[in-house]
């Protein structure tokens, strides 16, 4: 539309037509920026004002698990694959899902022994967090109120699937996120964790 408006003005044609094209381009630009901000917010990649620390991501998962272990939660952690192979948005989503799940466990069932498994293949990242009930039905909510809804949004925006809830006496969170672009919104992996 901007190109069309420029051409109309270059040819000294109808100014109304050019103004209409520019207004349309402005509207589309604002809509695109709103969508980008929403996606960035949902993925948890924005920082508080004045913060200089990078957003946590896949590279911080091991430290996160260790912090919960130090706090008294006996976590069985298994990692298969290379965390550095994860695109940043996928790593950030996996970190936040693990963080929210472990916060829920620490709050509602700190004496249990949760299992956290992350399996990374060239095609997918699969996260599984299992804990013996009782964990209240519903995911933990952080101060921004993201909780279960936020988990679902993160995974779905990345073209993946998530299953959360009770099963066979356990509470589970299972997320699968594609690492290749299959047309469903998955990532090709061009932006890796440092």
């Amino acid at each position: 539309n901007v190109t069309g408006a420029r051409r109309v003005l270059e040819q000294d044609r109808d100014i109304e037509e050019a103004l209409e094209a520019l207004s349309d381009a402005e509207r589309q630009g604002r809509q695109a920026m709103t969508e980008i901000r929403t996606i960035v917010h949902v993925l948890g990649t924005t920082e508080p004002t004045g913060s200089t620390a990078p957003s946590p991501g896949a590279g911080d998962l091991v430290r996160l698990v260790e912090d919960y272990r130090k706090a008294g939660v006996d976590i069985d952690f298994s990692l298969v694959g290379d965390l550095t192979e994860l695109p940043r948005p996928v790593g950030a989503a996996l970190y936040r899902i693990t963080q929210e799940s472990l916060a829920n466990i620490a709050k509602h069932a700190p004496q249990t022994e949760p299992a956290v498994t992350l399996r990374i293949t060239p095609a997918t990242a699969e996260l599984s967090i299992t804990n013996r009930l009782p964990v209240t039905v519903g995911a933990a909510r952080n101060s921004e109120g993201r909780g279960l809804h936020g988990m679902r949004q993160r995974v779905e925006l990345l073209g993946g699937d998530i299953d959360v809830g009770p099963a066979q006496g356990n509470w589970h969170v299972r997320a699968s996120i594609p690492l290749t672009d299959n047309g469903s919104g998955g990532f090709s992996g061009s932006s890796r964790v440092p």
Side-chain angles (χ1 to χ4, degrees), residues 4-189:
R6 180 181 50 79
R7 288 182 181 157
V8 166
L9 290 173
E10 284 175 351
Q11 296 173 4
D12 202 23
R13 292 188 356 212
D14 187 7
I15 291 179
E16 286 294 320
E17 186 180 336
L19 288 173
E20 185 178 321
L22 288 171
S23 293
D24 188 42
E26 182 181 20
R27 181 187 54 76
Q28 289 177 7
R30 285 186 179 157
Q31 182 179 0
M33 286 305 297
T34 299
E35 291 171 3
I36 289 168
R37 285 186 188 109
T38 300
I39 290 169
V40 168
H41 178 72
V42 167
L43 293 176
T45 57
T46 58
E47 293 300 319
T49 304
S51 175
T52 57
S55 296
D60 300 299
L61 275 169
V62 173
R63 182 183 47 79
L64 176 68
V65 169
E66 286 304 317
D67 287 347
Y68 273 94
R69 284 177 173 162
K70 288 176 187 174
V73 181
D74 187 15
I75 301 169
D76 177 16
F77 179 62
S78 173
L79 171 64
V80 178
D82 186 355
L83 289 173
T84 64
E85 289 298 309
L86 294 175
R88 286 186 185 277
V90 173
L94 294 171
Y95 179 90
R96 295 296 185 195
I97 291 166
T98 304
Q99 181 184 42
E100 291 171 6
S101 297
L102 292 178
N104 197 37
I105 291 167
K107 180 178 179 181
H108 299 288
Q111 302 307 315
T112 61
E113 298 176 359
V116 177
T117 303
L118 177 57
R119 183 168 283 112
I120 302 164
T121 70
T124 62
E126 296 180 0
L127 175 67
S128 173
I129 302 167
T130 304
N131 190 60
R132 194 176 69 243
L133 290 174
V135 171
T136 60
V137 177
R141 291 186 176 272
N142 64 21
S143 60
E144 296 167 329
R146 292 183 181 159
L148 179 58
H149 181 69
M151 287 184 193
R152 288 195 190 286
Q153 278 188 319
R154 283 186 178 95
V155 173
E156 289 171 2
L157 281 171
L158 294 168
D161 298 304
I162 187 167
D163 182 37
V164 180
Q168 300 175 342
N170 293 317
W171 178 263
H172 73 267
V173 175
R174 292 187 192 108
S176 178
I177 302 174
L179 300 180
T180 56
D181 189 0
N182 57 9
S184 65
F187 283 81
S188 63

